[in-house]
Amino acid sequence: MKIITRYLFKEITVNVLLITLALIAMFSFFDLIQELESLGQGNYGLSKIILFVVLSAPGHVYEVIPVAVLVGCMYSLGQLARYSELIVLRVSGISLYSLAATLLKIGMVFAILTFFVGELITPLSEKMAQRIRIKATDSVIVQDFKSGLWVKDGHNFVNVEEVLADTTLLNIHIYEFDDKFNLRTVSHAHKGLFEDEQWHLKSVSQTHLDKDSNYVENLDKATWRSLIRPELLNVLLVLPEKMSAWNLYAYIEHLAVNKQKTTRYKMALWAKLVYPLASLVMVILALPFAFIQQRSTGASTKIFIGIMLGILYQSLNQTFMHLGLLNDWAPAFSAITPTALFLIGGLAMLHHIDKR
């Protein structure tokens, strides 16, 4: 059985990696075409565009691995079926479920790879790519309102007009309230830098609102301790779906403390936990197709069917995410359902093949 496992691992892994490279090349080409529209804007030259595309590639790797596993497995197993190797394996006493267990070991390798890329590589590369683009084009991070970014910080409300790519804050307005939500102080700072676990503000003007009198205090420098940290501001750089699970959890905690809606980020967190398991589901789904397809079926047909199923899986993921946000479904339900449906479909076909 070890020889068979090594043989299957070699055949499937090579095909999966080749398909992954092909898909990454295609998506990177689309990224390049899109970024060429910004060529010459600020210092955004061809070298930085290429660097941006390269740094964006790990995000595509994370997205396409399950699809590549499905297509690669369908092609590899289809070729084995074409030359009657699968029939020989079954005749030699290897059951369909033993074969499935072997494939699950291969799928586990790609599941771990997906988790590793999604947790350790994609968040960093995506953040670097966005910072390079923003800095080169002399832009600022996209704000939620025309007045800038608004954040609730305990009893205080903070307005930042501009957030630079290195998380430097420009034109900061801090509205401090007491426990009864009476406005106590309005502070304005020209610039804010995060060092030594606190924000260092420059050119600060504070308006103190007391019961008896109001007065203005001007300071060259001031420190500001806040729940707002640079890693929380990274949410503005990286889409929730491309953040690490740990950063998502930290941001959800921040929103919860400030009694703000967390559904979008909880869905992204559940998706980060469930998505790597898709590789295991894809190998289960691919196995029945090796027996269903006729020996005369061409490689192009296998690849086409695999890509269509992969597109269907990604479409279901997006559909359930959007429906979950619109209908306020449980985040776990929205994230798990598409993968569960594909798993049920794969097991049902596997059972049907085994009973024939």
Side-chain angles (χ1 to χ4, degrees), residues 276-341:
L277 300 178
S279 294
L280 299 175
V281 175
M282 294 308 174
V283 297
I284 294 297
L285 184 65
L287 182 55
F289 279 93
F291 296 95
I292 293 173
Q293 293 169 352
Q294 299 297 322
R295 293 177 61 182
S296 59
T297 303
S300 59
T301 303
K302 298 180 182 70
I303 293 174
F304 176 77
I305 293 173
I307 290 175
M308 289 299 101
L309 286 172
I311 292 173
L312 176 61
Y313 176 72
Q314 296 289 2
S315 299
L316 278 177
N317 266 324
Q318 293 298 319
T319 300
F320 272 85
M321 290 286 283
H322 289 302
L323 288 176
L325 288 172
L326 289 173
N327 299 304
D328 204 23
W329 290 347
F333 173 79
S334 299
I336 294 173
T337 300
T339 303
L341 290 175

Side-chain angles (χ1 to χ4, degrees), residues 12-31 53-54 56-58 60-69 71-72 110 113 117 307:
I12 292 174
T13 300
V14 169
N15 287 321
V16 170
L17 292 178
L18 288 175
I19 292 168
T20 301
L21 287 174
L23 291 173
I24 296 307
M26 181 181 68
F27 285 119
S28 295
F29 176 73
F30 291 153
D31 286 344
V53 171
V54 171
S56 299
H60 296 313
V61 172
Y62 176 77
E63 293 169 351
V64 305
I65 285 179
V67 178
V69 169
V71 178
F110 288 101
L113 177 62
V117 172
I307 290 175

Side-chain angles (χ1 to χ4, degrees), residues 4 7-8 12 73-96 99-100 103 286-293 295 302 353:
I4 295 172
Y7 176 66
L8 290 175
I12 292 174
C73 282
M74 288 184 65
Y75 175 77
S76 300
L77 295 174
Q79 292 300 98
L80 294 177
R82 182 182 179 87
Y83 297 105
S84 303
E85 293 178 72
L86 285 182
I87 296 175
V88 172
L89 289 177
R90 295 199 67 185
V91 171
S92 63
I94 298 175
S95 69
L96 193 60
L99 191 58
L103 293 178
L287 182 55
F289 279 93
F291 296 95
I292 293 173
Q293 293 169 352
R295 293 177 61 182
K302 298 180 182 70
I353 294 296

Side-chain angles (χ1 to χ4, degrees), residues 95-110:
S95 69
L96 193 60
Y97 291 103
S98 296
L99 191 58
T102 301
L103 293 178
L104 283 174
K105 294 177 184 178
I106 300 171
M108 180 59 70
V109 173
F110 288 101

Side-chain angles (χ1 to χ4, degrees), residues 27-154:
F27 285 119
S28 295
F29 176 73
F30 291 153
D31 286 344
L32 179 63
I33 296 300
Q34 183 176 354
E35 291 304 311
L36 284 175
E37 297 179 0
S38 302
L39 181 64
Q41 184 177 344
N43 297 319
Y44 201 43
L46 184 60
S47 61
K48 290 184 179 177
I49 287 177
I50 293 174
L51 182 58
F52 175 86
V53 171
V54 171
L55 289 172
S56 299
H60 296 313
V61 172
Y62 176 77
E63 293 169 351
V64 305
I65 285 179
V67 178
V69 169
L70 175 62
V71 178
C73 282
M74 288 184 65
Y75 175 77
S76 300
L77 295 174
Q79 292 300 98
L80 294 177
R82 182 182 179 87
Y83 297 105
S84 303
E85 293 178 72
L86 285 182
I87 296 175
V88 172
L89 289 177
R90 295 199 67 185
V91 171
S92 63
I94 298 175
S95 69
L96 193 60
Y97 291 103
S98 296
L99 191 58
T102 301
L103 293 178
L104 283 174
K105 294 177 184 178
I106 300 171
M108 180 59 70
V109 173
F110 288 101
I112 294 172
L113 177 62
T114 304
F115 183 81
F116 176 79
V117 172
E119 283 299 297
L120 301 180
I121 300 178
T122 298
L124 293 176
S125 64
E126 191 71 19
K127 184 167 60 177
M128 290 173 61
Q130 294 300 330
R131 284 181 174 175
I132 288 171
R133 190 183 193 282
I134 290 169
K135 188 174 181 180
T137 56
D138 297 323
S139 303
V140 298
I141 296 175
V142 176
Q143 308 299 310
D144 290 340
F145 301 98
K146 290 183 178 179
S147 56
L149 172 69
W150 286 87
V151 181
K152 188 174 183 292
D153 182 24

